[in-house]
């Protein structure tokens, strides 16, 4: 009985309990998103570890061959006069390898070239990651723009529903007109809800880059229709000479040059030497022992490796030319797509969308006066929304091309139209 009363009392008091206030989402600019990814993404956090490993390999390459301490025992545990340890001979020696042909310096050069080659690779990884952040940020901005278009469509469709309801009440139009207007309104509301869902999914996709499973931010998006003027293609093409992707190939060329030098050092064989002291237990005499050895035919064995290193070095120049042509073609395509998108956005904004807006308003006035059919007004409403969506699609294509251009040229990955700043 008391438990039931306690439960009823809790239910009665529940409406009086203060509701938990959800804090508003924190504004997030593109720069802030890039900074979060730079500090948390595993691909970028690997870079210092890769450098430490390369430095360790360079330090190891700078070590000379080690000295070897050895001990030899002869004439032990034999028979006759050599029974037991009567004729035991013990030799204590120190051995080593004398490298010839500059092998130590060549190894150091290879290790240093591999270490230097990490810098452009790190820059490529960073630029690729920043470009991915910008793309996902742009997806949120695109969803927000689609939501604004859908809300505008909802507003004009609601006006049509209200007007159709009045005309139906007055007996000036059939019920089918009202139903058609209501169906168009429902479709516009569906477009709005879909844009909201797309925005939520895009936020989760962006947050995943810094390993967050929930969204506690809202982007500070600008107007994606704002496409700045770009430099001439020739000026952008000049920037490709300093792109990290070509710097990677240049680094690989330096590595191959060092590898060729290292292979050339094999033309001279290394000399192994040994020096020690031998003690004869039987005579109790001690004497010095020593020796050296040099392999024969070193030049013949080194020649295939040298030919392979020379061929790989010659490949570097061709690889750089091929990659430069590929980057040039990609830049030309992105530059062309951006110019086309900017032209379409500008012309739609100046010629198409304003005309359709005025035509739609005139059609609304004419329909209310009974001068045209509802179908004509509805078609103009749809044409106006389709034109705005086409303009937005062109702008988004231009923004994506701009991100690609900035990634190729190695410029800061901040698209002005999607950057946004905190208010």
């Amino acid at each position: 009985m008391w438990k039931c009363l306690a439960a009823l009392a809790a239910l009665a008091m529940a409406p009086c309990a203060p509701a938990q206030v959800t804090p508003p989402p924190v504004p997030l600019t593109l720069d802030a998103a890039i900074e979060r990814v730079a500090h948390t993404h595993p691909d970028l956090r690997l870079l210092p570890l890769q450098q430490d490993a390369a430095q360790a390999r360079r330090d190891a390459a700078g070590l000379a061959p080690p000295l070897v301490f050895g001990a030899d025992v002869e004439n032990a545990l034999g028979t006759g006069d050599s029974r037991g340890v009567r004729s035991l001979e013990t030799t204590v020696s120190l051995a080593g390898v004398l490298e010839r042909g500059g092998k130590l310096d060549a190894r150091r050069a290879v290790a240093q070239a591999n270490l230097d080659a990490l810098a452009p690779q790190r820059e490529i990884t960073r630029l690729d990651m920043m470009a991915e952040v910008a793309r996902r940020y742009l997806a949120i901005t695109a969803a927000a723009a689609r939501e604004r278009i859908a809300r505008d469509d909802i507003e004009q469709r609601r006006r049509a529903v209200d007007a159709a309801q009045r005309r139906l009440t007055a007996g000036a139009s059939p019920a089918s007109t009202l139903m058609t207007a209501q169906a168009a309104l429902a479709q516009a509301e569906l477009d709005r809800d879909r844009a909201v869902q797309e925005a939520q999914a895009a936020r989760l996709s962006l947050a995943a880059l810094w390993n967050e499973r929930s969204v506690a931010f809202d982007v500070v998006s600008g107007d994606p229709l704002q496409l700045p003027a770009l430099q001439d293609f020739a000026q952008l093409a000049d920037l490709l000479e300093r792109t990290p992707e070509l710097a990677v190939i240049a680094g690989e060329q330096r590595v191959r040059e060092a590898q060729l030098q290292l292979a050339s050092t094999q033309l001279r064989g290394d000399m192994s030497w040994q020096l020690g002291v031998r003690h004869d237990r039987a005579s109790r005499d001690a004497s010095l022992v020593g020796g050296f050895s040099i392999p024969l035919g070193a030049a013949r064995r080194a020649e295939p490796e040298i030919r392979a290193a020379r061929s790989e070095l010659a490949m570097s120049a061709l690889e750089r030319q091929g990659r430069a042509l590929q980057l040039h073609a990609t830049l030309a395509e992105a530059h062309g797509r951006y110019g086309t998108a900017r032209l379409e956005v500008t012309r739609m904004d100046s010629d198409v969308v304003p005309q359709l807006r005025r035509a739609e308003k005139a059609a609304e006035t004419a329909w209310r006066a009974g001068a045209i059919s509802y179908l004509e007004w509805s078609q103009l409403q749809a044409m106006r929304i389709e034109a705005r969506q086409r303009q937005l699609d062109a702008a988004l294509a231009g923004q994506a091309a701009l991100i690609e251009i900035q990634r190729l040229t190695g410029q800061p990955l901040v698209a002005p139209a999607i950057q946004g700043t905190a208010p």
Side-chain angles (χ1 to χ4, degrees):
M1 180 65 179
W2 288 107
K3 291 182 179 180
C4 294
L5 291 176
L8 290 174
L11 290 174
M13 295 179 62
C16 300
Q20 185 176 2
V21 179
T22 303
V26 179
L28 181 71
T29 63
L30 178 57
D31 284 339
I34 289 176
E35 185 176 357
R36 288 190 184 186
V37 173
H39 287 87
T40 59
H41 199 277
D43 290 349
L44 298 178
R45 293 170 62 189
L46 279 175
L47 302 180
L49 300 178
Q50 292 174 347
Q51 185 174 7
D52 292 343
Q55 289 176 344
R57 286 190 289 268
R58 182 195 59 183
D59 295 340
L63 298 176
L67 297 176
V68 180
F69 175 80
D72 296 331
V73 178
E74 300 179 13
N75 299 330
L77 303 179
T79 60
D81 293 339
S82 299
R83 186 174 60 251
V85 294
R86 294 177 180 178
S87 301
L88 180 66
E89 293 183 3
T90 304
T91 303
V92 178
S93 63
L94 187 66
V97 176
L98 179 61
E99 292 185 314
R100 305 168 65 202
K103 293 182 177 63
L104 178 61
D105 293 336
R107 284 200 308 273
R108 288 173 177 170
V110 171
Q112 184 62 47
N114 284 319
L115 178 60
D116 295 338
L118 285 178
Q121 292 175 354
R122 290 196 303 267
E123 185 64 13
I124 289 177
T125 302
R126 188 186 69 84
L127 289 175
D128 289 343
M129 189 57 60
M130 300 307 103
E132 183 62 24
V133 175
R135 294 189 192 100
R136 299 192 187 190
Y137 197 95
L138 178 61
I140 303 175
T141 303
R146 292 191 181 98
E147 182 182 355
R148 289 193 296 269
I149 294 176
R151 293 186 182 278
D152 189 11
D153 193 18
I154 289 173
E155 181 181 353
Q156 67 177 9
R157 297 297 181 178
R158 282 176 178 170
R159 295 199 312 268
V161 170
D162 293 340
Q165 181 67 55
R166 294 191 186 97
R167 288 176 63 88
L168 177 63
T169 303
S173 63
S176 60
T177 301
L178 175 60
M179 296 176 184
T180 303
Q182 290 173 339
L185 174 60
Q187 290 179 351
E189 292 174 343
L190 175 60
D191 292 339
R192 177 202 58 195
D193 296 340
R194 182 174 58 185
V196 171
Q197 291 295 327
E198 289 176 352
Q200 180 66 14
R203 289 188 183 92
L204 288 173
S205 177
L206 178 61
L209 290 177
W210 54 80
N211 198 27
E212 279 192 8
R213 299 296 183 265
S214 60
V215 177
F217 65 87
D218 195 5
V219 300
V220 183
S221 58
D223 184 6
L225 301 181
Q226 297 298 321
L227 298 177
L230 285 183
Q231 298 175 347
D232 293 337
F233 176 74
Q235 295 177 337
L236 293 176
D238 292 339
L239 296 176
L240 287 179
E241 295 297 325
R242 299 190 296 271
T243 185
E245 296 195 36
L246 294 183
V248 166
I249 299 178
E252 292 176 354
Q253 182 176 1
R254 287 189 289 270
V255 170
R256 291 174 180 177
E257 290 174 352
Q259 289 174 342
L260 175 59
Q261 182 63 31
L262 180 60
S264 300
T265 62
Q266 302 299 323
L267 291 172
R268 301 183 63 184
D270 297 336
M271 184 180 68
S272 300
W273 58 269
Q274 183 178 8
L275 184 65
V277 177
R278 176 175 295 173
H279 180 265
D280 188 344
R281 182 180 178 86
S283 62
R284 299 185 182 276
D285 293 333
S287 59
L288 291 175
V289 295
F292 69 93
S293 62
I294 298 177
L296 301 178
R300 180 171 53 84
R301 290 190 299 272
E303 194 270 338
E305 189 67 24
I306 293 175
R307 284 193 290 113
R310 285 174 178 168
S311 298
E312 292 179 354
L313 179 59
M315 289 167 52
S316 297
L318 297 178
E319 289 174 354
R320 189 183 189 282
Q321 293 177 6
R323 187 54 180 160
L325 290 176
Q326 183 180 3
L327 291 175
H328 191 274
T330 304
L331 179 62
E333 180 187 1
H335 191 272
R337 286 190 286 113
Y338 183 84
T340 302
R342 188 167 183 264
L343 174 63
E344 185 172 358
V345 169
T346 303
R347 293 291 298 274
M348 293 288 290
D349 188 61
S350 61
D351 300 337
V352 180
V353 175
Q355 293 287 354
L356 288 175
R357 184 184 300 112
R358 288 190 290 267
E360 188 270 331
K361 289 185 178 297
E364 179 181 1
T365 303
W367 186 73
R368 291 179 184 274
I372 62 173
S373 66
Y374 169 75
L375 181 60
E376 295 178 84
W377 182 23
S378 178
Q379 287 178 342
L380 280 172
Q381 288 178 327
M383 289 178 61
R384 176 171 171 255
I385 295 301
E386 288 175 1
R388 292 186 60 188
Q389 291 175 343
R390 176 181 173 180
Q391 184 185 29
L392 176 61
D393 292 340
L396 295 176
Q399 295 288 353
L402 179 60
I403 294 173
E404 181 66 13
I405 291 172
Q406 292 172 327
R407 186 191 69 83
L408 289 172
T409 57
Q411 298 303 306
L413 282 171
V414 179
I418 64 170
Q419 162 61 18
T421 54

